[in-house]
Structure formats: structure tokens, C-alpha cells
Amino acid sequence: CFLKNGGCDALTSCSATATGGAVCGECPSGYERTNEDQFASCANVDGCALEPCHPGVLCTDVPPPAMGRICGACPTGYQGDGAICTDIDECADVAVVNGRCDTNTT
């Protein structure tokens, strides 16, 4: 463990075994191993890949140690939080008759 952290990722701890080997600690919050090998690198967990925003909405990954993502505003004509956006039915606007839509439309 004294040289190059025993082959472990720099974000993890290294513990020496009785036989002279190394055991790597877990990746910190917001990171995961790039494969099942204990000597694999720790990589940022991409919140946008795990839980995408509504199509067409800007998704920003939250940097470690936090996890998750932040979604931008819904596209024009939609309402919601950016993760889930629903179409605004302009014809359902009760403030004006039929939302100013032609009476033959829905």
C-alpha cells in the first residue's frame, strides 16, 4: 500500500493483507467502480444516464459527493419540473372561451 496506493484508486483506501497483498476500500459517495475488479478506477455516477430528464430538457449531473441530476425547464408548450413534462392543453383554458381555439377543435 505504500507504493501507488497498492494499485487502488486514489479515491479509496488501501489495506495490506497478511500475505503482502492489498485490499481496496469502497469508492466514495457519488462514485462507482468502472468494473468489478477492486483495482478498477472510481468514476463519477452520471445522474443523467441513470435518470434522464424529459426529452429535450437540459440535464446537469450533480458532482460528487452528491448524487443525482438537475433538470432544466420544460420545453415551450409543456409544464412540469423538467423531469416530467406534460403537454399544456391550450384549448382547456377556462379564462377564455375554449382557449381561443376554434369550437370545432379539441
Side-chain angles (χ1 to χ4, degrees), residues 17 24 29 39-40 42 47 59 66 80-81 85-87 106:
T17 65
C24 302
S29 178
F39 297 105
C42 295
C59 187
D81 61 5
C85 300
T86 55
D87 184 31
T106 56

Side-chain angles (χ1 to χ4, degrees), residues 46-58:
D46 185 350
C48 294
L50 289 176
E51 192 176 3
C53 298
H54 182 84
V57 172
L58 175 67

Side-chain angles (χ1 to χ4, degrees), residues 27-106:
C27 293
S29 178
Y31 292 91
E32 64 185 359
R33 296 223 187 271
T34 54
N35 63 45
E36 297 299 317
D37 181 359
Q38 74 160 344
F39 297 105
S41 298
C42 295
N44 174 33
V45 175
D46 185 350
C48 294
L50 289 176
E51 192 176 3
C53 298
H54 182 84
V57 172
L58 175 67
C59 187
T60 305
D61 180 43
V62 175
M67 292 178 63
R69 48 88 171 111
I70 299 170
C71 296
C74 292
T76 302
Y78 289 80
Q79 62 186 4
D81 61 5
I84 299 173
C85 300
T86 55
D87 184 31
I88 297 171
D89 183 359
E90 291 84 359
C91 293
D93 186 351
V94 294
V96 291
V97 177
N98 201 30
R100 293 195 181 101
C101 294
D102 186 293
T103 54
N104 294 321
T105 62
T106 56

